[in-house]
Amino acid sequence: MPNKLVIISVFLLAFCFSTFAQEGEKDDKKKKNKATPTEELVVDTGTIIKEPIDPLSPARAAFYSAVLPGLGHAYLKQYWKIPIIYAGLGAGLYFYIDNNNEYNRYRDAYKRRLAGYEDDEFYGTISTDGLQDAQEQFGRNREISLLVTIGIYALNIIWANVDAHLMQFNIDDNLSLQPHYKINEFDKSGDLGLTLNFKF
């Protein structure tokens, strides 16, 4: 209970300081905007400030993701995607290690059977041919797990590159593409189409 009270007090105090700071900024702006008889007040309402496009941003994001998975998304400030990447990589590595351990167990038992020993852990339950089949199955599963892990690593790089490209995509109101549906007046059928608007 005391911890909650301290957290709420700190939050309210920070909120009050930010409110006072905003009021101070408004007062400063009012003082600056007061025009004296010798000054002119110019208001420009048609200017839209756009962030400059960095053409190297997609390449930089892909490079960072190649060096360390998830670093490209951290560079793009998309932190929520990093756990998804590491969950995929972790699952792929887990299945690779698990299948590799099982492959080694069955391979060791198979080698002992071929050497003439009858003291392996599967003796009496799995035949020699069964050990060979299980060894091949776990070896194949191990290879698939490795391919999936490499694929997730490659997807991480591609994902960061595509996200960096899309962040620079023009989505303002001057360019729009909208579907429309219109009733044809001649035969009363419906017409479906796309409308492209470009304002400059």
Side-chain angles (χ1 to χ4, degrees):
M1 183 68 182
N3 290 339
K4 290 180 183 179
L5 186 60
V6 170
I7 292 171
I8 291 171
S9 300
V10 170
F11 178 73
L12 289 175
L13 188 63
F15 180 73
C16 291
F17 279 130
S18 67
T19 305
F20 289 133
Q22 288 175 358
E23 287 178 3
E25 288 175 6
K26 287 178 184 176
D27 292 340
D28 292 341
K29 286 180 183 177
K30 285 179 184 177
K31 289 176 185 176
K32 288 179 183 177
N33 289 338
K34 284 185 179 176
T36 60
T38 58
E39 295 177 348
E40 288 185 20
L41 182 63
V42 178
V43 178
D44 186 14
T45 58
T47 306
I48 298 173
I49 299 172
K50 294 183 180 179
E51 293 184 15
I53 293 177
D54 181 10
L56 296 178
S57 180
R60 198 174 295 126
F63 175 73
Y64 290 158
S65 288
V67 170
L68 181 66
L71 191 59
H73 291 287
Y75 167 71
L76 298 174
K77 295 180 177 56
Q78 298 174 341
Y79 303 108
W80 65 273
K81 295 181 180 179
I82 297 172
I84 297 171
I85 294 167
Y86 278 101
L89 289 173
L93 287 174
Y94 168 78
F95 285 113
Y96 174 80
I97 292 169
D98 185 51
N99 286 310
N100 188 47
N101 290 340
E102 291 297 317
Y103 171 80
N104 289 333
R105 279 179 61 208
Y106 283 94
R107 185 192 62 186
D108 292 343
Y110 180 70
K111 284 182 176 180
R112 288 193 66 78
R113 290 268 181 96
L114 291 181
Y117 296 102
E118 298 178 349
D119 59 349
D120 60 84
E121 61 180 303
F122 303 109
Y123 186 74
T125 56
I126 300 176
S127 65
T128 305
D129 291 336
L131 288 175
Q132 185 177 5
D133 292 342
Q135 178 182 342
E136 290 173 1
Q137 177 187 353
F138 284 114
R140 190 167 44 250
N141 290 346
R142 179 184 60 180
E143 292 168 0
I144 291 171
S145 300
L146 182 62
L147 287 175
V148 167
T149 306
I150 292 171
I152 292 171
Y153 173 75
L155 277 176
N156 150 59
I157 298 170
I158 294 168
W159 195 11
N161 188 293
V162 170
D163 281 350
H165 274 292
L166 291 177
M167 286 181 73
Q168 298 179 0
F169 189 71
N170 185 3
I171 55 170
D172 62 0
D173 292 335
N174 293 333
L175 180 65
S176 64
L177 182 68
Q178 296 176 344
H180 70 272
Y181 183 78
K182 185 177 178 183
I183 300 294
N184 192 338
E185 296 178 4
F186 294 110
D187 59 358
K188 302 297 182 197
S189 64
D191 291 336
L192 186 64
L194 289 173
T195 302
L196 175 65
N197 295 323
F198 180 67
K199 300 176 188 174
F200 55 94

